Amino acid sequence: MTDEANKSAEAQKLEDAVEDRDVAWTRRMLQDPLTYAIIGAAQKVHAALGPGFTESTYQAALCKELMLRDIPFQSQPEYEVFYQKTLCGVFRPDMVVYGQVVVELKAVSSLSKEHRAQTISYLRASELPTGLLINFGAASLEVKRFKN
């Protein structure tokens, strides 16, 4: 095979991989448009601010971006925690979006097991169907999606 044919074959493989990625992204977006709208807003905030700020700064910026996109949300709503029908405490996730998605924000260099466990606990206690753990502290936005 000539060098030109090798380059053409490599270019076709790359084009196919990009197309496969785009098809997979579109399929996931159609299956879960709510979380993709939230993630898109978070990506815009991260692209504008980058890493290095406090969680509260990112929360304020994400609230602003959600408002600009007419995406309904509540900031730090209060949920009660029960054990055997006894009220044991309350928790406040960073936000609930669309009344269906618990969003927990972080501004750390990398997500830990404890961050994941916190988000899963909030999701379970809220009885909402979906949770997002979003980390603004890394060079690239990190997002973990959870289902109840």
Side-chain angles (χ1 to χ4, degrees):
M1 206 179 241
T2 67
D3 284 343
E4 193 168 310
N6 280 337
K7 287 179 185 177
S8 179
E10 288 174 22
Q12 185 61 48
K13 282 182 185 178
L14 181 60
E15 187 176 308
D16 290 345
V18 168
E19 185 176 328
D20 289 345
R21 185 198 68 210
D22 290 345
V23 168
W25 182 88
T26 301
R27 192 173 293 134
R28 286 192 309 266
M29 195 219 37
L30 291 172
Q31 290 171 351
D32 198 357
L34 302 182
T35 59
Y36 273 85
I38 299 163
I39 293 166
Q43 287 173 329
K44 183 160 185 187
V45 169
H46 192 269
L49 298 180
F53 293 103
T54 63
E55 184 181 309
S56 62
T57 300
Y58 294 111
Q59 183 164 356
L62 184 56
C63 287
K64 176 65 175 177
E65 186 61 30
L66 294 173
M67 284 189 281
L68 290 171
R69 294 176 182 223
D70 292 322
I71 295 174
F73 70 94
Q74 292 176 283
S75 184
Q76 298 186 346
E78 188 173 288
Y79 286 86
E80 296 176 329
V81 178
F82 291 89
Y83 174 72
Q84 295 188 357
K85 299 182 183 180
T86 301
L87 178 62
C88 296
V90 297
F91 73 95
R92 293 178 180 272
D94 290 322
M95 49 180 63
V96 172
V97 184
Y98 293 112
Q100 298 181 47
V101 182
V102 172
V103 178
E104 189 59 26
L105 305 176
K106 299 296 175 194
V108 294
S109 58
S110 65
L111 294 171
S112 69
K113 298 184 297 190
E114 292 79 10
H115 298 135
R116 289 175 183 82
Q118 178 186 28
T119 305
I120 292 166
S121 293
Y122 285 4
L123 181 59
R124 192 173 49 240
S126 70
E127 298 180 343
L128 295 175
T130 307
L132 287 177
L133 173 58
I134 301 175
N135 181 26
F136 289 94
S140 294
L141 186 73
E142 289 181 89
V143 179
K144 302 293 180 196
R145 186 182 284 112
F146 302 91
K147 290 289 187 180
N148 208 357

